[in-house]
């Protein structure tokens, strides 16, 4: 299904299990918050559409994307979760900050996936420009927060197979 479509927010809903019994954590970066807020809304709407209960979505904010892995690790320790979605937006800008932050965030998240018992999803935009980010946060390229939620449900299902 997804081989042909590069955008997971046009997935076929019935191919996913109901999320009714799941409890999902979402860790959101405050940097570029007009983008991360839209991604968060997309993720929450997709989870609700799959039957997850509102009270079973735990949202926590961290200062920036660099803190997403730490925030996710804390959340997994604090409460029982079936999966975590990390939401962030890193814009290239003119410094090497972009590379350091994007690399550290991705590395941190893959480590969590290998160490922890639950899937931790990389729903972090890494864009050259703010326009590219806006296009992916509910604009012409869809909403990558929706994709993060769908990836999370797919990985939970993968774990339960
Ligand atoms: C410092 C910084 C910069 C320059 N750019 C971004 C960004 O585009 N997106 C983002 O999520 N965070 C950025 N940050 C903040 C870092 O992620 C982090 O919060 C700080 O370096 C403090 O550890």
């Amino acid at each position: 299904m997804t081989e042909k479509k590069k955008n997971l927010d046009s997935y076929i809903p019935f191919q996913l299990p109901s999320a009714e019994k799941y409890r999902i954590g979402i860790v959101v970066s405050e940097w570029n918050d007009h983008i991360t807020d839209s991604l968060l809304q997309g993720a929450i709407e997709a989870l609700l559409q799959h039957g997850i209960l509102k009270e079973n979505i735990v949202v926590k904010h961290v200062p920036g994307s660099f803190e997403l892995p730490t925030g996710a690790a804390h959340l997994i320790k604090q409460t029982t979760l079936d999966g975590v979605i990390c939401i962030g937006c890193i814009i290239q800008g003119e410094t090497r900050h972009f590379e350091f932050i994007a690399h550290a965030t991705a590395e941190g998240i893959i480590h969590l996936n290998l160490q922890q018992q639950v899937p931790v999803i990389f729903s972090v935009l890494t864009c050259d420009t703010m326009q590219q980010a806006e296009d992916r946060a509910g604009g012409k390229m869809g909403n990558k927060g929706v994709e993060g939620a769908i990836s999370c449900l797919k990985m939970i299902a993968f774990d339960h197979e």
Side-chain angles (χ1 to χ4, degrees), residues 15 20 22 52 61-62 71 79 87 101 105 119 121-122 161:
Q15 289 184 336
E20 208 179 342
Y22 297 159
I52 197 163
H61 285 83
V62 291
T79 182
I87 290 179
I101 294 168
T105 306
I121 302 302
F122 183 85
E161 272 170 13

Side-chain angles (χ1 to χ4, degrees), residues 13-67:
F14 63 77
Q15 289 184 336
L16 282 170
S18 168
E20 208 179 342
K21 292 181 189 144
Y22 297 159
R23 191 169 150 79
I24 309 285
I26 309 182
V27 188
V28 190
S29 161
E30 288 169 353
W31 260 77
N32 303 313
D33 62 355
H34 71 293
I35 300 291
T36 58
D37 283 350
S38 296
L39 298 174
L40 173 64
Q41 284 320 309
I44 290 175
E45 278 164 29
L47 293 174
L48 293 175
Q49 269 172 20
H50 282 83
I52 197 163
L53 303 175
K54 212 173 177 181
E55 61 264 33
N56 285 337
I57 303 174
V58 184
V59 179
K60 290 274 186 186
H61 285 83
V62 291
S65 293
F66 187 82
E67 284 76 33

